[in-house]
Amino acid sequence: MNIPATPDFRSADFLRQHIRWTMAFYDPRALDASGGMYHYYLDDGTVYDQRTRHLVNATRFVITHAMLYRLTGAAHYLGGVRHAVDFLRTAFRDPHTGGYAWMIDWHDGKATVLDGTRHCYGMAFVMLAYAHASTCGIESARDWLAETFALTEKHFWEPAAGLYADEATPDWTLSPYRGQNANMHACEAMIVAYAATGEARYIARAECLAHNITCRQAALAKGLVWEHYHQDWSVDWDYNLHDKSNIFRPWGYQSGHLTEWAKLLLQLDTYTPADWHVPRAMELFAAGVNTAWDT
């Protein structure tokens, strides 16, 4: 790969090539003929764990193959979408409850649940995966998206807060933890779901999530997006303060999430313009860059 020393990230041509370079690392070594994709790699591409599979990784392989199919039109990427989405439904989904395992062991064509916790964060990525699959002409994916949305609404949606709860046991008993991250990715999924289906309920939910996190909840946290909350959605300033190992729930403001919300607000504004979207996106982006940029 002839990667330029000083990439031009404002160049559409460079960005398209950058996507191809990224995918070239995984294609075709990621494909497991027995089901799904391998998830764990060394820097040289060696698969060091062939059995452990994580829900978020499984959904992302659907998304990346769908994006490459739409970018290139190459049939084998569409095949990758079908292979990955089939594994998502058959290996991770519990047909009795509709829920998705957080982590499984895949061996000899069979899945053993390693962690059956139901995460709204994971459900958001499942919806995102089905929405992307739908854009590739996989017609069943639209129904699977609707099914997952209904399940998420039933078990995680809190009407009084206008936000999703975060975590539940396999029988859907909610934990007291509340977080913004699951809601951010749910907003992302709803935007793509609307783009894929044109169904107004998805963009309405995206707008609700965006406003309640970036405006109402941010007003409780010095105008920025704090990650962690108590069950009543009051700010939990100390959650994971002394735990540096939790990559899904790190303590503190996350500069990358500030810029990610800026991106989502701009995407949202293309579908349902509102006078607060762009100013709020600019504020969050500036805050993220000012705190994280290494001059």
Side-chain angles (χ1 to χ4, degrees):
M1 299 181 190
N2 184 25
I3 300 174
T6 54
D8 179 6
F9 287 102
R10 294 181 182 277
S11 164
D13 288 339
F14 168 77
L15 292 174
R16 293 187 185 97
Q17 184 59 52
H18 186 66
I19 292 169
R20 291 184 174 93
W21 284 328
T22 302
M23 197 62 169
F25 177 85
Y26 298 98
D27 184 29
R29 66 167 59 92
L31 185 70
D32 178 1
S34 75
M37 314 288 180
Y38 299 116
H39 290 187
Y40 298 96
Y41 305 85
L42 300 178
D43 287 349
D44 65 0
T46 301
V47 177
Y48 69 85
D49 181 346
Q50 295 188 0
R51 295 174 52 166
T52 308
R53 308 294 171 88
H54 196 289
L55 178 60
V56 176
N57 292 357
T59 59
R60 285 188 182 271
F61 274 114
V62 177
I63 296 161
T64 54
H65 280 81
M67 292 178 70
L68 264 293
Y69 175 65
R70 293 198 302 270
L71 179 68
T72 67
H76 75 280
Y77 287 127
L78 179 58
V81 177
R82 296 185 184 279
H83 186 75
V85 82
D86 180 65
F87 188 74
L88 180 61
R89 287 197 68 79
T90 58
F92 280 91
R93 183 176 177 271
D94 180 347
H96 302 293
T97 68
Y100 289 76
W102 187 238
M103 190 173 291
I104 64 171
D105 175 77
W106 179 254
H107 185 58
D108 287 339
K110 296 180 181 179
T112 301
V113 175
L114 300 177
D115 184 350
T117 307
R118 308 308 191 211
H119 288 277
C120 184
Y121 180 93
M123 296 294 278
F125 276 106
V126 172
M127 288 187 283
L128 186 64
Y130 289 150
H132 275 282
S134 178
T135 67
C136 296
I138 299 177
E139 295 182 2
S140 299
R142 181 166 178 159
D143 292 335
W144 299 337
L145 168 62
E147 166 194 89
T148 311
F149 175 72
L151 198 67
T152 307
E153 290 283 296
K154 178 179 178 180
H155 294 293
F156 288 112
W157 181 247
E158 298 188 314
L163 293 168
Y164 290 112
D166 204 271
E167 177 185 311
T169 61
D171 65 358
W172 301 109
T173 300
L174 291 176
S175 80
Y177 173 81
R178 299 293 183 268
Q180 83 81 24
N181 198 16
N183 286 280
M184 181 182 73
H185 285 290
C187 180
E188 175 188 24
M190 300 302 170
I191 294 171
V192 178
Y194 175 73
T197 69
E199 293 185 36
R201 58 179 175 164
Y202 295 128
I203 203 68
R205 180 61 79 235
E207 173 76 7
C208 179
L209 295 171
H211 182 270
N212 288 344
I213 289 292
T214 67
C215 295
R216 189 192 69 204
Q217 292 303 118
L220 305 176
K222 304 178 182 179
L224 300 180
V225 177
W226 188 256
E227 296 293 311
H228 312 296
Y229 298 87
H230 298 289
Q231 191 169 2
D232 64 357
W233 283 99
S234 61
V235 177
D236 186 345
W237 296 108
D238 297 323
Y239 188 87
N240 277 348
L241 175 61
H242 302 294
D243 181 0
K244 310 299 183 187
S245 64
N246 195 317
I247 62 172
F248 290 104
R249 296 180 183 174
W251 175 82
Y253 294 108
Q254 299 302 310
S255 300
H257 284 170
L258 301 181
T259 58
E260 194 164 359
W261 267 117
K263 175 193 75 172
L264 294 176
L265 288 172
L266 294 179
Q267 292 177 342
L268 189 59
D269 200 66
T270 65
Y271 295 113
T272 175
D275 58 7
W276 66 273
H277 290 161
V278 174
R280 193 72 187 110
M282 293 173 67
E283 292 168 355
L284 293 172
F285 186 83
V289 171
N290 289 341
T291 54
W293 188 259
D294 183 350
T295 57

